[in-house]
Amino acid sequence: MPSDSPSSPLIHWLGGQALTLELPPPATLHLQRGIWRLAEQLQGHADLREIIPGMNNLTLEFHPGTNPAGWPARLRRLWRQVDALAETSREVEIPVRYGGASGPDLETVARRCGLDPADVISRHAASRYTVFFMGFLPGFAYLGGMDPALAMPRRDTPRPCVPAGSVAIGGDQTAVYPAASPGGWHIIGRSDMRLFDPARQPPCPLRPGDRVRFIPMELG
């Protein structure tokens, strides 16, 4: 078990054919690496139809006909034994046009944070982010490590369609929308980098554990 685990994990059944291992908060990068390691170790297990690492949790879906009764105890035992992944050296740069038509919420974010728009850009681009997990949409990476001064509650009213490539802030995380979709995060910029392409291998340039840097381009 990763050494900074605050206590034993909780195990929740999701119906009769899936269960979730959930760690007590707070989520940390070290514990997240433990989740990735455990997911990696379980790949290919005959009982498992799908393995889904989340933020501070891991969900297992079993093949039909499998008897999963012994899995809660097995999962707790495996968690006690798992080692965290070694820190990855992969770093991905994402160019961003901040503000203007590309970032319609930049002024609002700056005002609510008590900063100038240029300070928001500078602080957002200065951080080195970690991909904690992939979800919501194919290629959507939840990035931790944002400057706390930029943390922002989600919009009161989500947008029905956020353009693909939008760089946004939600809570204390940031992300890039890989495709047009509804969204409630605050849009501060846009990137032309494709974060999901089903014709490419791998389809997503980002994976859990990667480091991400945003590179400011000209204002949009």
Side-chain angles (χ1 to χ4, degrees), residues 51-136:
I51 302 166
I52 308 166
M55 186 75 169
N56 227 24
N57 60 67
L58 177 70
T59 296
L60 307 180
E61 181 183 353
F62 299 95
H63 286 294
T66 299
N67 180 2
W71 269 93
R74 177 182 294 178
L75 203 50
R76 286 193 178 92
R77 184 176 66 254
L78 291 172
W79 177 252
R80 288 195 299 269
Q81 297 169 349
V82 76
D83 295 321
L85 279 170
E87 185 171 353
T88 178
S89 59
R90 270 183 38 133
E91 183 167 291
V92 179
E93 294 185 349
I94 299 179
V96 181
R97 297 185 304 277
Y98 286 97
S102 298
D105 296 331
L106 178 63
E107 298 279 348
T108 300
V109 170
R111 184 170 58 255
R112 294 181 64 174
C113 292
L115 300 169
D116 293 330
D119 291 331
V120 173
I121 296 171
S122 177
R123 287 172 181 258
H124 189 262
S127 294
R128 299 293 184 271
Y129 299 93
T130 299
V131 179
F132 275 93
F133 75 106
M134 310 293 292
F136 175 54

Side-chain angles (χ1 to χ4, degrees), residues 141-190:
Y142 287 83
L143 303 175
M146 189 175 68
D147 187 324
L150 303 182
M152 182 69 46
R154 298 185 182 193
R155 289 169 53 88
D156 293 335
T157 304
R159 289 185 169 90
C161 186
V162 174
S166 293
V167 178
I169 290 173
D172 59 358
Q173 294 185 311
T174 188
V176 182
Y177 284 80
S181 76
W185 291 23
H186 301 270
I187 303 171
I188 62 171
R190 190 176 303 169

